[in-house]
């Protein structure tokens, strides 16, 4: 009986397996590209295309055909994979606490509660778990880009002085341009055939634009630039913030002007001035802040570092200690600790992004909850805020930031090209 039962069970199992084996296979996902040791999946491409379509629908923006859109999405995902792999090699991580802090900041900036944000995500067809991972990826990529590109940027005192002189000559008056950009990529030392092909493409695009073609739609379909999936839209910028080539091109240009093709080391460029803001007053806003920094380590965990700051907040609330006393005793920022945590007057743009966003949200006198930056855990108090400071130091800080923003825009694409050139990339449909 025992043997018969086992035989029957075995026969049933094998019969089921045979039936399953004969059934049509179900495709769960598909590899679109191999990027070093990583892969890009069809599901990732689907999600990005869906996101671009939702954004375009909200803005009333037309899009190219699906095949073109999917090609651009695959290219963006390959770039993201390369940057995230570099983050992994460098050991960069985003803790759950840091992630929730960033998401809470996004909600606050959009004047939404967390419940309202979750409801908005539901309406857009995205789960909160998916959104968390998307934000985690964005934080990691931003951190890698900042770390890698920052070391490539050197700014001399003479350069700062020249920009300060320009700002003074303008009397704090400054034009801004809303810029669109299409890039036609060229390799280093292109052949005559490659250059001719790029020129032909540029002229074709220019003719299409002159005949009324949608610039953003063409950028999504044809551009190799970093903002291709955003329709080539670089947003509002002053000439001092633009890459040099772009800044020189827009001088004297007006709304609707199309400029190009322009040649750079990265290829050919077509620029459109979507709009201008003529001679608007530039308000220099500075904050006077103080902070306490605690750095996690092998000995001090993330949770314990944050817990220390929670304890400091309680001491401040009960009057057990003053901010200056706690900063002098515990803060691991040596430059400010000896001053009771004082950072002095500074533009918020001079700080790390998370720190900048926090001081921008706080009102004078307010103390933040513990928050994480790449330097560690902080609490910060905004003591005061002022506008239109015209001291030499403020001018120099603004000039430095303008130069840095311009160089960053120029260098990030060069760095990305180098990262891609050194990688192994195989597109699974046979294209390289």
């Amino acid at each position: 009986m025992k043997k018969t039962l086992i035989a029957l069970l075995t026969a049933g199992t094998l019969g089921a397996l045979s039936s399953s084996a004969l059934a049509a296979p179900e495709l769960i996902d598909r590899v679109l590209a191999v990027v070093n040791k990583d892969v890009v999946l069809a599901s990732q491409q689907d999600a990005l295309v869906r996101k671009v379509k939702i954004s375009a629908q909200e803005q009333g923006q037309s899009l190219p055909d699906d095949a073109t859109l999917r090609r651009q999405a695959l290219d963006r995902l390959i770039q993201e994979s390369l940057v995230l792999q570099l983050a992994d090699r460098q050991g960069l991580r985003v803790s759950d606490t840091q992630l929730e802090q960033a998401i809470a900041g996004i909600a606050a900036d959009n004047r939404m509660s967390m419940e309202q944000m979750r409801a908005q995500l539901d309406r857009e067809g995205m789960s909160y778990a998916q959104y968390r991972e998307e934000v985690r990826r964005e934080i990691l990529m931003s951190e890698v880009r900042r770390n890698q590109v920052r070391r490539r940027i050197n700014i001399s005192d003479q350069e700062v002085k020249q920009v300060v002189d320009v700002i003074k000559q303008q009397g704090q008056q400054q034009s801004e341009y809303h810029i669109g950009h299409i890039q036609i990529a060229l390799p280093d030392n292109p052949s005559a055939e490659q250059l001719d092909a790029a020129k032909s493409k540029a002229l074709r695009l220019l003719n299409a634009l002159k005949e009324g073609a949608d610039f953003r739609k063409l950028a999504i379909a044809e551009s190799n630039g970093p903002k291709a999936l955003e329709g080539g839209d670089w947003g509002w910028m002053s000439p001092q913030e633009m890459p040099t080539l772009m800044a020189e091109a827009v001088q004297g240009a007006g709304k609707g002007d199309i400029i190009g093709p322009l040649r750079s080391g990265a290829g050919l460029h077509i620029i459109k001035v979507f709009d201008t803001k003529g001679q608007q007053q530039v308000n220099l806003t500075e904050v006077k802040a103080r902070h306490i920094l605690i750095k996690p380590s092998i000995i001090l965990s993330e949770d314990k570092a944050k817990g220390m700051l929670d304890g400091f907040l309680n001491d401040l609330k009960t009057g057990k200690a003053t901010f200056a006393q706690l900063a002098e005793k515990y803060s691991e920022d040596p430059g400010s600790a000896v001053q009771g945590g004082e950072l002095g007057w500074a533009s918020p743009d001079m700080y790390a992004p998370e720190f900048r966003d926090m001081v921008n949200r706080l009102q004078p006198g307010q103390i933040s909850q513990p928050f994480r930056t790449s330097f560690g855990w902080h609490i910060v108090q905004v003591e005061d805020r002022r506008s239109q400071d015209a001291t030499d130091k403020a001018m120099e800080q603004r000039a430095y930031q303008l130069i840095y923003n311009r160089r960053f825009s120029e260098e990030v694409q060069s760095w990305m090209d180098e990262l891609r050139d050194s990688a192994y990339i195989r597109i699974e449909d046979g294209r390289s």
Side-chain angles (χ1 to χ4, degrees):
M1 175 65 75
K2 188 174 182 181
K3 288 184 179 178
T4 305
L5 183 59
I6 292 173
L8 286 171
L9 288 172
T10 305
T13 304
L14 289 174
L17 288 173
S18 299
S19 176
S20 299
L22 291 173
E26 182 180 350
L27 183 64
I28 297 174
D29 212 335
R30 182 164 59 92
V31 173
L32 298 181
V34 178
V35 185
N36 292 329
K37 297 180 179 181
D38 192 19
V39 293
V40 175
L41 300 174
S43 58
Q44 294 174 283
Q45 185 189 53
D46 291 341
L48 181 53
V49 168
R50 186 165 56 250
K51 180 180 176 182
V52 172
K53 286 182 175 180
I54 290 171
S55 177
Q57 186 177 16
E58 289 174 348
Q59 298 173 24
Q61 171 63 47
S62 58
L63 291 171
D65 61 86
D66 261 21
T68 301
L69 189 57
R70 297 183 79 82
R71 174 178 55 79
Q72 286 281 35
L74 177 58
D75 189 67
R76 174 70 63 86
L77 289 167
I78 288 171
Q79 292 189 39
E80 289 183 0
S81 174
L82 290 170
V83 176
L84 289 169
Q85 287 180 64
L86 183 56
D88 187 60
R89 292 197 296 273
Q90 293 177 344
L92 294 177
R93 298 287 183 272
V94 178
S95 68
D96 288 342
T97 305
Q98 188 178 356
L99 183 60
E100 293 296 340
Q101 168 193 307
I103 293 172
I106 294 170
D109 290 341
N110 286 279
R111 298 183 179 182
M112 300 168 69
S113 67
M114 290 301 297
E115 291 73 20
Q116 290 172 323
M117 173 174 272
R118 286 174 182 267
Q120 178 67 26
L121 291 171
D122 286 339
R123 287 192 293 273
E124 295 176 0
M126 178 180 285
S127 71
Y128 184 64
Q130 289 173 322
Y131 183 70
R132 287 178 86 257
E133 288 312 303
E134 186 173 301
V135 174
R136 191 193 299 273
R137 286 163 60 94
E138 288 295 332
I139 293 172
L140 278 174
M141 289 189 293
S142 178
E143 189 70 20
V144 172
R145 278 192 293 264
R146 191 165 60 247
N147 291 344
Q148 293 296 308
V149 176
R150 183 170 49 197
R151 66 187 65 176
R152 299 163 67 110
I153 299 174
N154 295 305
I155 300 173
S156 69
D157 292 342
Q158 182 61 31
E159 289 175 294
V160 173
K161 183 178 182 302
Q162 288 173 349
V163 174
V164 167
D165 290 342
V166 170
I167 294 174
K168 288 180 176 178
Q169 288 168 12
Q170 292 175 342
Q172 301 298 315
Q173 302 287 320
Q174 182 172 290
S175 296
E176 286 191 335
Y177 299 82
H178 185 187
I179 295 298
H181 170 251
I182 293 174
Q183 177 181 327
I184 301 160
L186 281 170
D188 293 334
N189 302 314
S191 65
E193 292 79 8
Q194 289 171 323
L195 191 54
D196 286 343
K199 287 179 178 177
S200 296
K201 180 177 178 179
L203 291 175
R204 173 174 61 81
L205 296 179
L206 277 174
N207 288 333
L209 290 169
K210 288 175 183 177
E211 291 172 4
D214 186 318
F215 187 95
R216 291 180 172 88
K217 183 176 179 179
L218 273 185
I220 294 173
E222 306 279 3
S223 179
N224 305 117
K227 300 285 187 179
L229 275 181
E230 289 76 31
D233 192 337
W234 280 55
W236 287 95
M237 305 172 76
S238 70
Q240 289 84 4
E241 294 172 296
M242 299 177 192
T244 306
L245 181 79
M246 194 179 288
E248 293 174 351
V250 301
Q251 292 298 326
K255 180 179 179 179
D257 285 354
I258 298 170
I259 306 157
L262 306 170
R263 174 79 187 273
S264 78
L268 301 181
H269 308 263
I270 297 171
I271 296 166
K272 180 170 182 176
V273 180
F274 292 133
D275 205 351
T276 63
K277 293 179 183 177
Q279 299 299 302
Q280 293 202 343
Q281 184 72 28
V282 178
N283 293 319
L284 297 179
T285 300
E286 291 188 313
V287 294
K288 185 173 185 287
R290 56 184 178 179
H291 80 134
I292 299 172
L293 169 65
I294 302 296
K295 297 180 180 180
S297 65
I298 297 174
I299 300 171
L300 187 67
S301 69
E302 294 278 342
D303 288 342
K304 287 183 178 179
K306 179 179 179 297
M308 285 181 65
L309 293 173
D310 285 328
F312 296 162
L313 287 174
N314 187 61
D315 290 346
L316 292 171
K317 185 177 180 180
T318 59
K320 186 177 179 181
T322 66
F323 200 106
Q325 288 169 341
L326 293 170
E328 289 174 11
K329 186 173 182 179
Y330 297 105
S331 182
E332 295 181 72
D333 176 12
S336 67
V338 294
Q339 304 294 329
E342 293 287 349
L343 295 168
W345 288 100
S347 165
D349 290 335
M350 300 300 292
Y351 297 129
E354 302 88 351
F355 201 98
R356 174 201 64 205
D357 294 343
M358 184 60 72
V359 298
N360 280 337
R361 284 195 290 266
L362 293 174
Q363 296 300 314
Q366 279 189 308
I367 301 176
S368 73
Q369 292 297 309
F371 65 100
R372 185 74 156 81
T373 72
S374 57
F375 298 101
W377 284 92
H378 311 251
I379 54 172
V380 60
Q381 181 181 37
V382 170
E383 298 177 279
D384 203 356
R385 182 175 274 110
R386 67 185 181 187
S387 297
Q388 295 180 320
D389 178 78
T391 62
D392 288 342
K393 183 179 178 182
M395 287 281 194
E396 289 171 4
Q397 287 178 341
R398 175 160 177 77
Y400 182 93
Q401 196 63 43
L402 288 170
I403 297 168
Y404 182 88
N405 291 346
R406 169 185 283 186
R407 295 277 176 82
F408 191 91
S409 298
E410 294 172 337
E411 289 291 341
V412 73
Q413 187 60 43
S414 298
W415 166 72
M416 194 67 240
D417 290 342
E418 292 169 13
L419 188 62
R420 187 162 185 154
D421 288 343
S422 64
Y424 171 77
I425 300 171
R426 187 177 78 247
I427 308 299
E428 283 303 305
D429 65 0
R431 292 181 289 111
S432 59

